[in-house]
Amino acid sequence: MSDALEQRQEDAATAPAEAAEIESVEEVEDDVAELDPEVVARRDAALAHVRKFGDPVLRTKARAVERFDEALRDEVRRMGLLMDDALGIGLAATQVGVLHRLLVYRVQSGAPLAALANPVIEWSSKEEEIAEEGCLSLPTVHVEVERPVHVRVRAQDEYGEPILIEASGLEARVIQHELDHLDGVLILDRTPRDQRKSAMRALREWRERHP
Ligand code: ZN
């Protein structure tokens, strides 16, 4: 059993509302052997569309969404499909090379896709928690990140309607992770130095295997 899975079970024990579906913030990766080959093929095809570490777009601050038109809703739909195929629970537009302040997520399977345009964290709790996170843009990397447990986020939906979200636990974590992407921030920037070092090594090795 991986550490990440243990982490998930601990989380599940303390927060039963968050059905323990997901191993780490963006992706499920270590249990590939148990996945249907078709699911793996679909996942790999989806991941090919996700910008990876080293791509300068991941370090670029995204611009506000100004037009809430059919093109934007299309973008939301495409991001949702890509996220599902990639077995992720969150995706920022930055990760598909679109510098829009737009993110999608779904932390409970079967729940409708949540889309947040122009999200702003209006309040976050003093209480913080450390948990392991993965990222579709950082293959093989899992690092611990400390984040506020509760956040209140103002945003707009894909029609431009204002929304206010009070999120805790995994949902709060995913929103913060994706919002970081919109500012060009990666989990590597938020983890202790020793973990960052081994993550960088893992990324280099991954690149050598996937030239
Ligand atoms: Zn990510």
Side-chain angles (χ1 to χ4, degrees):
M1 183 186 293
S2 71
D3 292 346
L5 195 53
E6 286 169 11
Q7 177 65 49
R8 176 170 81 188
Q9 288 177 339
E10 280 168 25
D11 288 350
T14 51
E18 292 155 17
E21 297 280 336
I22 299 301
E23 175 155 37
S24 54
V25 159
E26 273 184 1
E27 34 97 62
V28 183
E29 178 163 25
D30 297 338
D31 302 329
V32 169
E34 294 167 20
L35 292 175
D36 184 306
E38 260 181 49
V39 173
V40 173
R42 209 162 44 230
R43 185 202 62 169
D44 291 348
L47 284 175
H49 294 282
V50 175
R51 302 298 182 98
K52 304 295 189 311
F53 182 72
D55 189 321
V57 83
L58 291 175
R59 291 307 198 176
T60 309
K61 199 171 155 73
R63 294 177 300 269
V65 174
E66 285 168 356
R67 295 165 68 123
F68 294 85
D69 52 9
E70 204 47 46
L72 181 76
R73 289 184 283 279
D74 234 31
E75 198 179 318
V76 167
R77 275 189 290 272
R78 274 185 282 118
M79 284 171 62
L81 292 173
L82 190 63
M83 182 189 85
D84 288 345
D85 283 352
L87 307 178
I89 58 171
L91 188 69
T94 302
Q95 291 179 279
V96 290
V98 178
L99 288 169
H100 260 166
R101 299 193 75 78
L102 174 68
L103 62 89
V104 299
Y105 69 91
R106 182 193 295 111
V107 291
Q108 271 174 316
S109 64
L113 182 74
L116 305 186
N118 304 326
V120 174
I121 295 180
E122 186 182 78
W123 171 87
S124 53
S125 64
K126 285 208 180 71
E127 185 191 354
E128 299 200 327
E129 193 170 59
I130 296 174
E132 194 170 75
E133 297 187 14
C135 178
L136 298 177
S137 296
L138 305 174
T140 75
V141 168
H142 295 96
V143 290
E144 289 179 332
V145 180
E146 186 169 24
R147 299 191 190 271
V149 180
H150 311 281
V151 292
R152 187 166 64 234
V153 182
R154 260 184 212 289
Q156 287 163 285
D157 68 11
E158 63 266 53
Y159 295 91
E161 294 301 318
I163 41 180
L164 182 66
I165 293 178
E166 308 226 354
S168 295
L170 184 60
E171 184 182 9
R173 183 168 289 273
V174 172
I175 293 172
Q176 292 174 82
H177 176 120
E178 303 311 335
L179 218 156
D180 271 352
H181 276 302
L182 304 182
D183 293 323
V185 174
L186 298 170
I187 51 178
L188 297 173
D189 310 324
R190 295 205 183 272
T191 198
R193 187 206 288 255
D194 58 324
Q195 293 191 41
R196 181 173 201 273
K197 273 190 171 170
S198 19
M200 296 299 288
R201 195 159 50 235
L203 282 169
R204 269 197 303 276
E205 285 166 11
W206 184 87
R207 267 209 214 143
E208 280 161 20
R209 289 197 309 274
H210 301 80

